[in-house]
Amino acid sequence: MEKAVARFEIRYTQFLDEHGKATGEFPDHSKNPDELVDLYRWMVLMRTYDAKAIALQRTGQLGTYAPILGQEAIEAGVGSTMHSDDVFLMTYREQGVQLMRGVTMTELFLYWSGDERGSDYQGPRRDFPICITIAAHCTHAAGAAYAIKLKGEKRAVVCALGDGATSKGDFYEGMNAAGAWKLPVIFLVTNNQWAISVPRSVQSAAETLAQKAIAAGIPNEQVDGNDIVAVRDAMKRALERARSGEGPSLIEALSYRLSDHTTADDASRYRSADEVAEAWKREPVLRLRNYLSAAGAWDRAREEALVRECNEQVQAAVQAYLDTPPPRPADMFEHLYETLPPALESQRLEALGPEPEPAGDKDTAVV
Amino acid sequence: MAEITLVEAINLALSHELQRDESVVVLGQDVGRDGGVFRSTLGLVDKFGPERVIDTPLAEGMIAGMAIGMAVEGIRAVAEIQFSGFAYTCIDQILNHAGRMRYRTRGRMSCPMVLRTPCGGGIHAPEHHSESPEAMFAHTPGIRVVYPSSPKSAYGLLLAAIRDPDPVVFLEPTRLYRLFKEDVTDDGAALPLDTCFTLREGTDVTLVTWGGMVHETLQAADTLAEEGYAAEVLDVATLKPYDLETILASVQRTGRCVVVSEAPKTAGFASEIAAAVGEHGLLYLMAPVGRVTGYDSVMPLARLEKQYMPSAERIADAARLAIGWSG
């Protein structure tokens, strides 16, 4: 005897097409265009910040930087639906979410300049620092969610990762644990089509990345990640599930990395200008602007004022970043342990260097 | 007071902390109903429930990673990895994340977790069950590596490890789990971390060791005593950060030092101690610092295990060589 013992389908949602036209009725949270204006403002701020960060890197004022260009709708969708006491775990391309959650732009510039103080967020104190080792944070997310569940709290955990990360064991392991214990965690996969130079088609033979959650018993879906309404809708449903004890979710948000992987990368080595030009036609910021303009909620004057405001805000953050005194050598030992073990004291003194010479004329110094 | 084995002392310490502090949880493969493959968590699930004594899916990296996430969110996670050879999977999590969480967030977050794993050979186990990864963990900034050598030290050091505000890798000498018993009082008294213990005083040579090798080293000291030599035996106990001061003070008295470890020789923790004694105690030394270690070979399967691991005879030979040294 032979029979089918499991079937699945992957749902894809889009509310706003690439021209900025509604594909159907919007959900309640996005029916009023004025409510989307605030998200549009955030997306423009992200893009302004991103362009400035690249300019700073190109002029030697910032270290290697990972651009977020093209992913603004995902970031705004996540940032606008999470609660402040939720926990966000991220890789390095979710700086827009960080901004919306209260990480300051100055902290982001510090981080990307190579200064650990950039991870001491004055805003979201429970958000994890950027995770550079791909997918390792998927297991941290499961652990944090377990802790929240054990404490009986109503908070949710959101773990953002990229398409490349879905190839790693940590992703499966974290998801599997989250499914086994019905943990309040959302895995948000930004499928931007490229893991440095490896395209999505080479990354996995799976038809969608969303379906990888099926093996872990986790509800999953795919959304147009350049459509802010679709991202928000999926996030809201997933967050509600998490908070009400129904367990984890996975959202695959389809987007495109319009920029290089980092400022140390040259994407023209591995992808065609035509492909990038095509992707620009689907980009999220112009799409939302077209919608808002057509709905009468946005116009040229407001756009010009917004661009001016964003530039001023970014410039102020750049100045605050440049005015921040550099870290001290002894900072290498600060916060290594809660209390520095005595065994490390001699190394700390070595890092401090010799005591500065006393001020004054040596010839007349009292001996 | 009760005479218990080392593995029972581990169980006692876990039980004590689960009872004392409700933020403590134990997680790992088979730690619940089965009580752990070595029975170190036996009965805990009945006392504290499956939400705090957690049988996990089979994935060591996930166990370490989840412990990190839990610890950051205020749960004191004590994770068990069944065998030392499987702990290598956790090194990414311990090195890249647990050891750095406090540092990279400038103290905003901390990671007070414990990763426990049986360690070392001598029980005729299958492949990958008898490794000595302590040097890899000890090389990692921001963590502690603790390695008890008796029921008493296992109880006191594990309490200290669980209460420590920073991540601890806690290595348990598998060979000593049931080798002998000691009186252990369940009084909740922790032993100090970052401290060497002087197990035996002597004036002729300092024997420095940790974990399972403490047993053979003490036997070697007995043999030497019969020959009229007084060996001082130090148990390093915490390998990162370790108490060099006590080691140097001892070498200053004895003038001779032999370091004993069952891990491979090159770049092992014995090399670290030998180098530090050379760097800071050269003028105390009347002989080169000796190392008695495993070989730079694969930890063999059972039939060659005895030949691989340092024996009391090899340790005594090295001590005699140091004592009789004439440059």
Side-chain angles (χ1 to χ4, degrees):
Chain A
M1 185 193 71
E2 224 179 59
K3 61 178 179 177
V5 292
R7 287 194 180 87
F8 65 86
E9 64 174 15
I10 306 299
R11 301 193 68 78
Y12 169 85
T13 311
Q14 183 198 54
F15 290 102
L16 199 58
D17 74 11
E18 64 183 81
H19 307 295
K21 289 196 168 56
T23 57
E25 192 180 354
F26 277 8
D28 285 347
H29 54 75
S30 297
K31 274 198 172 126
N32 182 354
D34 289 337
E35 287 178 23
L36 295 175
V37 164
D38 187 47
L39 299 175
Y40 178 72
R41 299 175 76 91
W42 273 111
M43 287 162 69
V44 172
L45 181 67
M46 289 172 201
R47 194 163 281 195
T48 314
Y49 153 80
D50 195 53
K52 188 67 182 182
I54 292 169
L56 288 172
Q57 193 278 334
R58 298 289 185 232
T59 52
Q61 296 173 93
L62 206 66
T64 300
Y65 171 79
I68 59 176
L69 188 68
Q71 301 182 184
E72 294 87 347
I74 299 171
E75 316 233 345
V78 174
S80 65
T81 49
M82 288 180 70
H83 291 173
S84 59
D85 64 349
D86 290 336
V87 178
F88 185 58
L89 296 98
M90 78 218 84
T91 166
Y92 37 76
R93 217 182 294 283
E94 288 79 20
Q95 298 154 63
V97 183
Q98 292 187 283
L99 284 174
M100 291 184 78
R101 289 186 57 69
V103 177
T104 67
M105 219 175 271
T106 304
E107 286 167 343
L108 291 179
F109 286 138
L110 279 171
Y111 175 81
W112 291 101
S113 77
D115 188 328
E116 274 87 5
R117 288 173 293 182
S119 295
D120 184 9
Y121 312 142
Q122 299 310 299
R125 302 289 290 170
R126 302 310 305 164
D127 282 7
F128 278 59
I130 285 173
C131 182
I132 298 284
T133 60
I134 299 299
H137 66 314
C138 295
T139 58
H140 307 163
Y146 193 101
I148 285 169
K149 185 174 179 176
L150 189 64
K151 291 187 282 186
E153 296 171 349
K154 292 289 177 201
R155 299 188 292 145
V157 174
V158 176
C159 178
L161 58 145
D163 40 295
T166 68
S167 298
K168 283 204 52 172
D170 285 338
F171 165 66
Y172 291 100
E173 292 179 17
M175 224 175 20
N176 185 55
W181 289 304
K182 293 187 86 170
L183 301 179
V185 56
I186 294 152
F187 296 98
L188 186 275
V189 179
T190 293
N191 176 358
N192 70 14
Q193 314 301 330
W194 290 91
I196 305 191
S197 67
V198 175
R200 164 64 184 85
S201 57
V202 174
Q203 196 64 240
S204 169
E207 203 170 350
T208 68
L209 300 180
Q211 74 201 52
K212 295 193 174 195
I214 289 166
I218 295 182
N220 57 88
E221 63 180 301
Q222 198 181 57
V223 298
D224 182 342
N226 290 351
D227 167 4
I228 181 78
V229 181
V231 176
R232 272 167 64 76
D233 196 61
M235 277 298 295
K236 276 179 169 289
R237 283 183 280 108
L239 284 164
E240 178 54 34
R241 278 178 50 76
R243 293 205 181 91
S244 60
E246 289 175 52
S249 307
L250 181 140
I251 300 166
E252 178 190 2
L254 296 172
S255 185
Y256 191 89
R257 190 191 79 214
L258 290 169
S259 190
D260 298 322
H261 168 68
T262 67
T263 50
D265 174 45
D266 174 11
S268 70
R269 285 169 55 85
Y270 51 81
R271 64 186 191 187
S272 71
D274 287 349
E275 178 186 311
V276 179
E278 274 303 307
W280 269 104
K281 291 178 186 169
R282 299 187 296 276
E283 70 102 347
V285 176
L286 180 62
R287 183 187 302 203
L288 183 56
R289 185 161 78 220
N290 285 342
Y291 173 78
L292 294 174
S293 298
W298 199 249
D299 56 32
R300 181 183 291 268
R302 281 192 259 190
E303 178 72 16
E304 285 171 1
L306 174 62
V307 168
R308 202 163 47 244
E309 281 168 32
C310 289
N311 281 330
E312 284 168 8
Q313 193 176 335
V314 171
Q315 198 49 49
V318 170
Q319 201 54 51
Y321 151 61
L322 294 174
D323 289 345
T324 305
R328 306 158 304 158
D331 286 351
M332 285 188 281
F333 293 89
E334 287 274 325
H335 309 302
L336 189 58
Y337 296 89
E338 186 179 75
T339 307
L340 190 73
L344 292 178
E345 183 56 29
S346 62
Q347 291 186 30
R348 192 184 75 87
L349 292 172
E350 191 182 330
L352 277 176
E355 289 278 326
E357 293 283 325
D361 187 341
K362 278 182 185 169
D363 293 340
T364 58
V366 177
V367 290
Chain B
M1 296 256 273
E3 286 255 321
I4 59 173
T5 62
L6 196 152
V7 76
E8 288 165 339
I10 298 286
N11 184 279
L12 200 59
L14 290 172
S15 184
H16 191 97
E17 285 309 277
L18 282 159
Q19 184 71 46
R20 189 189 68 83
D21 179 354
E22 67 175 23
S23 75
V24 173
V25 306
V26 168
L27 71 154
Q29 292 162 222
D30 306 303
V31 300
R33 186 54 50 209
D34 192 41
V37 287
F38 287 102
R39 307 288 174 262
S40 58
T41 57
L42 195 66
L44 297 179
V45 72
D46 296 324
K47 280 195 250 179
F48 304 103
E51 289 190 338
R52 292 183 67 205
V53 182
I54 309 161
D55 272 325
T56 65
L58 197 165
E60 288 82 5
M62 178 276 293
I63 293 168
M66 272 198 69
I68 291 169
M70 287 175 168
V72 170
E73 265 299 323
I75 296 296
R76 291 205 172 226
V78 186
E80 176 178 304
I81 302 300
Q82 286 184 331
F83 299 100
S84 50
F86 307 161
Y88 294 116
T89 313
C90 307
I91 282 182
D92 169 43
Q93 290 290 354
I94 298 298
L95 201 160
N96 283 325
H97 297 284
R100 292 166 174 242
M101 197 57 80
R102 184 188 294 281
Y103 178 90
R104 64 157 62 109
T105 61
R106 303 282 81 193
R108 177 169 64 85
M109 289 176 156
S110 64
C111 190
M113 60 167 284
V114 178
L115 187 87
R116 295 176 42 236
T117 190
C119 213
I123 59 161
H124 310 300
E127 195 175 9
H128 311 300
H129 287 55
S130 305
E131 327 300 307
S132 295
E134 64 261 36
M136 297 192 189
F137 287 116
H139 199 61
T140 302
I143 66 166
R144 284 187 158 77
V145 178
V146 179
Y147 207 156
S149 63
S150 69
K152 273 185 187 171
S153 71
Y155 176 80
L157 290 172
L158 184 53
L159 291 181
I162 297 171
R163 295 171 192 173
D164 194 81
D166 291 302
V168 178
V169 173
F170 195 84
L171 305 171
E172 299 167 6
T174 323
R175 194 156 42 88
L176 305 192
Y177 266 160
R178 293 185 174 81
L179 193 66
F180 62 97
K181 292 185 174 185
E182 266 182 351
D183 273 335
V184 177
T185 307
D186 186 19
D187 56 3
L191 285 169
L193 300 177
D194 310 352
T195 302
C196 255
F197 299 104
T198 304
L199 301 184
R200 181 177 179 133
E201 293 185 345
T203 50
D204 294 323
V205 61
T206 300
L207 305 178
V208 183
T209 190
W210 54 89
M213 272 298 131
V214 166
H215 187 69
E216 281 75 11
T217 305
L218 286 170
Q219 285 179 338
D222 283 342
T223 304
L224 292 166
E226 287 165 15
E227 297 165 16
Y229 302 121
E232 184 143 302
V233 178
L234 303 184
D235 176 3
V236 180
T238 302
L239 274 61
K240 177 70 173 271
Y242 74 103
D243 175 12
L244 179 61
E245 207 175 315
T246 298
I247 297 170
L248 283 175
S250 174
V251 174
Q252 187 172 14
R253 285 193 300 276
T254 65
R256 295 165 175 92
C257 182
V258 173
V259 193
V260 183
S261 157
E262 65 181 271
K265 189 163 200 168
T266 303
F269 200 72
S271 308
E272 160 57 33
I273 292 177
V277 169
E279 188 175 5
H280 301 284
L282 183 66
L283 298 182
Y284 311 148
L285 289 169
M286 290 182 277
V289 179
R291 284 179 292 163
V292 185
T293 69
Y295 301 111
D296 285 347
S297 173
V298 174
M299 175 73 193
L301 291 175
R303 294 178 71 175
L304 279 176
E305 192 176 44
K306 210 170 173 183
Q307 284 71 38
Y308 177 90
M309 294 170 64
S311 61
E313 292 75 35
R314 275 174 66 194
I315 299 164
D317 283 347
R320 288 186 203 103
L321 187 68
I323 292 166
W325 180 265
S326 54

